Amino acid sequence: MMIMAGILAVIFPRLIKIVINKEISLNEGSRTFGWWKKPPVTPQMHVYIYNVTNADEFLNNGDKPVLKELGPYVYLEKWEKVNIKFNINSTVTYNVKKTFTFSESLSNGSEEDLVVVPNVPMLSATSQSKHAARFLRLAMASIMDILKIKPFVEVSVGQLLWGYEDPLLKLAKDVVPTDQKLPYEQFGLLYGKNGTGKDNFTIFTGVMDITKYGLLDRWNGKAGLGHWTTTHCDTVMGSDGSIFPPYITKHTVLKIFDKDLCRVLPLVYKQDVVTSGDVPGFRFVPPADVFSSPDRVPSQQCFCPSGPPCAPEGTFNASLCQYDSPVLLSFPHFYLADPTLREAVIGISPPEAEKHQLYIDVQPVMGTTLRAKARIQINLAVSQVRDIKQVASFPDIVFPIIWFEDGIDQLPNDVTSLMRLAIDLPPIARTTISGGLAIIGFFVLIGALACLTRAASRQEKLHLSNPLPIRSVKDENSLKTATQSPPDKKLSGYK
């Protein structure tokens, strides 16, 4: 039994891994599949907008932009995987359906609030024309004069997020060739994202290889974005942030893919955490140099195919994924970025990790996300173009527009209860069974030793109670004589 206990202690972890692998793999009809298809959570998106309060003074007098952070404007989300199709290579293809519902009770303001923000379509067009022929820039200035297009627009929060008619986009729809037209008719930072997305995702189910569980195999049928100069930078193989391969350690580098990030974002271990339901986990955050310039981190050169100059320290140039609009991504309040970016404007408080750092808490054994806050800021890199009078006084500046906090605070109680059971039960069972077998083996050994001791004692008593008789010399001689054969009579007579 003790030997069995030792063997069990060795093979039990392997048995538990086999069970976990089977249970978390995506199989149609399983509980895990149901949670993955329609997550039993209600994520919240918090939106913060930088309202420009001195647009005229900035344009006419060269004053620093004065910004007032408005929000949060809170949206409740529902996520669902639709158009699901299992493939023969242990992958599954699907589309993501996200529904956003504004929550006035949780928000600090209304969707009808008016805000003044940079005119993204216009400033994108003028920045792109910086290196074009001069007559094209002059023509653009005349068109903007006729259409009364200005560098800043006043729109509602709802319009800024979900779309409004822009005269420049409307003009482009009529004059730009069909194969070069933008895929939308309105401008909005989240335009087209409320509903079923058009992108096809193909991820590994984990059935054949658990180490790839939840990782993206293809995005719209491609293994890469097609934007960056190396396979390492261009790959789409990352998680969507909800599930990861199991058996995560503190040395694991988690990878998240989001097409709006225009890259796979690495995450590294930061600290141990305990989430709702007393479920332990690891917190992962982006490394401090994730948006560093190639001057500091040479491996980042692949994200700057046209540089130098490259994106400023702490920002990421996502223009190739945003129809060449000069969009720079950063963390909120320019967290981990060059301080001069924040100092170029007035009204943004110093960044704080607790409020502005992106993080994900995961359960390391099963790779399930327990809690997450995806925090990203959208900025516009504006260039001065002297031939376009509307922006002739506009300095080169990274203009912050908006930042988002998207994620979940906790999982439902029924999910955390099962997770807690799955975490606690295997070691308890292993300890109990191994200990039980060891104890039984110990008593069996003691019993066996006791039996051997009693048997030896009985044998000794048997020898002592039946001693061999002591024989005299006379008895020995008599015995010897009795055993000898009598003499042959014939031989005696002859003699």
Side-chain angles (χ1 to χ4, degrees):
M1 288 292 183
M2 294 184 72
I3 295 175
M4 288 183 62
I7 294 173
L8 184 63
V10 174
I11 68 172
F12 195 84
R14 297 181 183 179
L15 295 175
I16 292 300
K17 280 190 174 183
I18 291 173
V19 172
I20 290 176
N21 294 352
K22 186 176 184 302
E23 289 300 317
I24 67 173
S25 297
L26 295 177
N27 292 291
E28 194 167 8
S30 68
R31 179 176 294 182
T32 303
F33 174 78
W35 286 342
W36 170 81
K37 178 182 177 182
K38 199 170 184 178
V41 294
T42 304
Q44 293 185 7
M45 182 178 69
H46 292 226
V47 180
Y48 298 85
I49 299 172
Y50 295 116
N51 182 48
V52 183
T53 62
N54 69 331
D56 291 336
E57 290 79 3
F58 167 69
L59 290 173
N60 299 327
N61 304 330
D63 293 355
K64 277 187 177 182
V66 178
L67 311 180
K68 183 179 180 181
E69 185 176 284
L70 303 180
Y73 298 93
V74 182
Y75 291 83
L76 304 181
E77 301 177 56
K78 288 185 179 180
W79 299 348
E80 186 177 359
K81 313 293 193 306
V82 297
N83 304 322
I84 298 172
K85 177 187 176 184
F86 283 90
N87 307 309
I88 59 174
N89 63 339
S90 296
T91 62
V92 58
T93 301
Y94 60 91
N95 298 98
V96 177
K97 181 180 179 181
K98 288 188 177 183
T99 305
F100 296 84
T101 303
F102 181 71
S103 174
E104 195 160 357
S105 61
L106 297 176
S107 300
N108 183 23
S110 164
E111 279 192 308
E112 305 305 317
D113 290 349
L114 295 178
V115 293
V116 177
V117 293
N119 188 335
V120 176
M122 173 198 179
L123 295 174
S124 296
T126 57
S127 294
Q128 292 172 20
S129 69
K130 186 173 184 178
H131 301 290
R134 185 170 183 267
F135 79 90
L136 290 176
R137 295 196 296 271
L138 293 174
M140 182 178 291
S142 298
I143 292 172
M144 291 180 179
D145 219 7
I146 295 171
L147 297 176
K148 298 181 180 179
I149 298 174
K150 297 181 179 180
F152 291 93
V153 293
E154 184 179 53
V155 292
S156 70
V157 171
Q159 288 176 320
L160 177 64
L161 294 177
W162 308 112
Y164 62 92
E165 286 191 0
D166 179 83
L168 205 57
L169 288 180
K170 188 176 180 180
L171 176 65
K173 178 185 176 183
D174 297 329
V175 299
V176 174
T178 304
D179 58 339
Q180 298 179 16
K181 286 184 178 179
L182 297 175
Y184 46 81
E185 298 179 359
Q186 295 185 330
F187 173 77
L189 295 174
L190 297 178
Y191 181 78
K193 296 186 182 298
N194 197 350
T196 302
K198 297 180 180 179
D199 294 301
N200 292 320
F201 297 88
T202 300
I203 66 170
F204 291 97
T205 62
V207 173
M208 297 297 292
D209 186 356
I210 200 65
T211 63
K212 293 182 178 180
Y213 170 68
L215 298 182
L216 197 64
D217 178 42
R218 292 285 188 274
W219 173 68
N220 290 330
K222 300 181 296 182
L225 286 164
H227 297 317
W228 312 119
T229 56
T230 67
T231 303
H232 173 73
C233 292
D234 201 58
T235 182
V236 299
M237 185 174 279
S239 165
D240 66 354
S242 61
I243 55 176
F244 297 92
Y247 318 119
I248 294 168
T249 71
K250 295 179 182 180
H251 302 290
T252 302
V253 177
L254 301 183
K255 296 181 178 180
I256 298 176
F257 172 76
D258 187 320
K259 71 161 189 174
D260 295 323
L261 290 177
C262 207
R263 61 174 289 180
V264 169
L265 189 70
L267 303 178
V268 296
Y269 169 84
K270 180 182 180 182
Q271 65 190 56
D272 285 26
V273 295
V274 177
T275 60
S276 61
D278 292 327
V279 177
F282 293 163
R283 174 162 294 182
F284 283 80
V285 301
D289 60 359
V290 67
F291 290 156
S292 286
S293 65
D295 294 336
R296 283 193 56 208
V297 182
S299 61
Q300 298 282 62
Q301 184 63 50
C302 61
F303 292 121
C304 185
S306 302
C310 300
E313 180 71 20
T315 67
F316 181 76
N317 187 349
S319 60
L320 292 179
C321 291
Q322 302 297 332
Y323 309 102
D324 289 330
S325 296
V327 173
L328 296 184
L329 302 179
S330 70
F331 297 116
H333 287 219
F334 293 110
Y335 175 68
L336 298 180
D338 186 339
T340 59
L341 298 175
R342 181 177 59 84
E343 294 166 359
V345 300
I346 298 172
I348 299 182
S349 62
E352 302 175 42
E354 187 65 27
K355 295 180 180 179
H356 305 124
Q357 184 178 56
L358 181 153
Y359 72 84
I360 291 181
D361 296 342
V362 297
Q363 206 297 307
V365 176
M366 288 172 283
T368 304
T369 296
L370 303 170
R371 183 170 52 200
K373 297 292 182 182
R375 294 161 170 160
I376 289 291
Q377 178 171 296
I378 297 178
N379 314 282
L380 197 67
V382 182
S383 298
Q384 188 179 55
V385 184
R386 297 198 177 277
D387 291 322
I388 301 177
K389 64 179 182 179
Q390 290 84 354
V391 293
S393 60
F394 215 116
D396 290 349
I397 186 174
V398 176
F399 215 108
I401 301 174
I402 193 171
W403 69 273
F404 302 89
E405 178 188 87
D406 197 359
I408 57 173
D409 290 313
Q410 63 181 35
L411 296 176
N413 292 334
D414 56 339
V415 176
T416 54
S417 297
L418 285 173
M419 197 172 292
R420 181 79 252 182
L421 182 65
I423 296 168
D424 292 341
L425 187 58
I428 292 174
R430 180 176 61 180
T431 303
T432 302
I433 296 173
S434 299
L437 289 175
I439 292 171
I440 293 171
F442 175 76
F443 282 115
V444 169
L445 180 60
I446 294 299
L449 291 174
C451 290
L452 288 174
T453 302
R454 286 196 297 271
S457 177
R458 284 198 300 269
Q459 187 67 25
E460 184 178 353
K461 288 180 180 179
L462 181 62
H463 285 300
L464 291 176
S465 61
N466 297 285
L468 291 172
I470 300 175
R471 296 169 181 158
S472 64
V473 175
K474 183 179 179 180
D475 293 334
E476 289 290 339
N477 291 334
S478 299
L479 180 60
K480 187 175 181 180
T481 302
T483 57
Q484 290 178 350
S485 302
D488 193 312
K489 289 182 178 182
K490 291 183 178 181
L491 291 174
S492 290
Y494 175 80
K495 188 176 180 180

